[in-house]
Amino acid sequence: MNQITHVILTGGIGSRLWPLSRKSQPKQYLDLFENKSLFEMTVERNSGLVNNIIVVGNVDNCHLSREILQKTKTGYIDIIEATPRNTTAAIVFAALAADVNDILIVTPSDHVIEGHLAYEETIKNAVEKAKDDFIVTFGIVPTKPETGYGYIEYKDDEVLSFVEKPNLEKAQEYLKSNQFLWNSGMFCFKASVILEEIKKFTPDIYEKAKIAWNHNKNGNLDLNLSLEIPAISIDYSVMQKSSKIKVVPATFQWSDLGSFESLYEYLASKDYPIDASGNMVIGSDLYTAFVGVKNAIFVHTPSANLILQKEVSQKVKDIYNSLEKENSDLLY
């Protein structure tokens, strides 16, 4: 019998949600969501569907994961990366930590998913395909012409192509065609199968990640050995090359909360206050008035404020990148 293991990837920074999301407290650990963090919601969502949990984090955030898992009395295998090496290496570590016959459900730790029955049905569908040695990716049925996501072109459960983040015109075409899904960054596969494919297509990553794992100390990975591992996402190393890929179209409500626009939409759906012109305040209870602007977001933190138009929220990353070049304390 195949054990089902939930692999939670926690390495994201959430740069498009700065100044809320910082290196010291990335978005997946912020208690913005009905007094819970996205990480805690991720653990809860899958707790009744899996037998085991593996958390792949890094030295900067592993203590935050540990605090939540201890609070919820959840047992798990802790894999602590000394330095981020992208998702291929993270998946190798998790697959080596699991039994070869385990079915791994791999998810980020910073997504919002609603519609429990639809989610459970989708997971069960993916698990059955994974038992037949397929590598399953989860595609989300689009609800709008989103330019912040990658897309999957598909027919039935076959993947025809993976598409990078499109411009608005292309995204509108994809939405009308009904042949494209949003790429969720969620996967399901047997541990042995994904290791075989990674070894086949990127043997350098496989061998060096295996060496790093074999020298781990209580789940802690060595920095020098980790730096030898090429940093490549699983999308590029396997998903775009393997002949074993299947897609499961998912109809549950999903958001990666990758921008203030998506956070705005989520909070609005929960009756969070918005004024008559569509403006929102996040992080402050002080009376705040907007004059002559619509669909604006005011974000307050003790050390930095951000004011933006909702529709250009993807550009917040430019501010983050600029501060990173300056090695600014405002990132922490």
Side-chain angles (χ1 to χ4, degrees), residues 129-143:
K129 293 180 186 298
K131 288 179 179 178
D132 291 331
D133 291 345
F134 290 110
I135 295 172
V136 184
T137 182
F138 295 82
I140 309 299
V141 177
T143 57

Side-chain angles (χ1 to χ4, degrees), residues 3-72:
Q3 293 279 299
I4 301 175
T5 297
H6 182 201
V7 179
I8 308 176
L9 307 180
T10 70
I13 297 295
S15 57
R16 291 181 180 86
L17 287 184
W18 180 90
L20 292 180
S21 184
R22 310 285 184 106
K23 289 185 177 182
S24 61
Q25 186 115 18
K27 68 172 180 175
Q28 57 266 33
Y29 301 107
L30 299 173
D31 291 333
L32 283 175
F33 312 95
E34 300 166 0
N35 295 318
K36 291 183 180 180
S37 68
L38 292 171
F39 178 85
E40 184 173 350
M41 292 165 67
T42 301
V43 173
E44 287 182 351
R45 180 184 311 125
N46 293 276
S47 61
L49 302 173
V50 303
N51 307 105
N52 309 296
I53 295 176
I54 295 175
V55 177
V56 185
N58 58 57
V59 293
D60 295 323
N61 70 21
C62 62
H63 66 287
L64 298 172
S65 299
R66 189 177 302 121
E67 288 171 5
I68 293 170
L69 289 161
Q70 287 177 345
K71 182 183 77 171
T72 57

Side-chain angles (χ1 to χ4, degrees), residues 142-148 151 166-168 170-173 175 182:
T143 57
K144 62 179 181 178
E146 175 62 57
T147 60
Y151 283 72
N167 58 32
L168 181 58
K170 278 290 183 184
Q172 290 170 336
E173 290 179 14
L175 184 64
W182 289 336

Side-chain angles (χ1 to χ4, degrees), residues 54 58 122 151 174 224 268 271 276 287 290 320 325:
I54 295 175
N58 58 57
T122 302
Y151 283 72
Y174 295 162
N224 291 327
D271 297 323
Y287 174 78
F290 296 83
Y320 185 95
K325 289 178 181 178

Side-chain angles (χ1 to χ4, degrees), residues 24 26 89-90 110 126 250 300-301 310:
S24 61
D110 56 358
H300 170 76
T301 71
K310 173 168 65 75

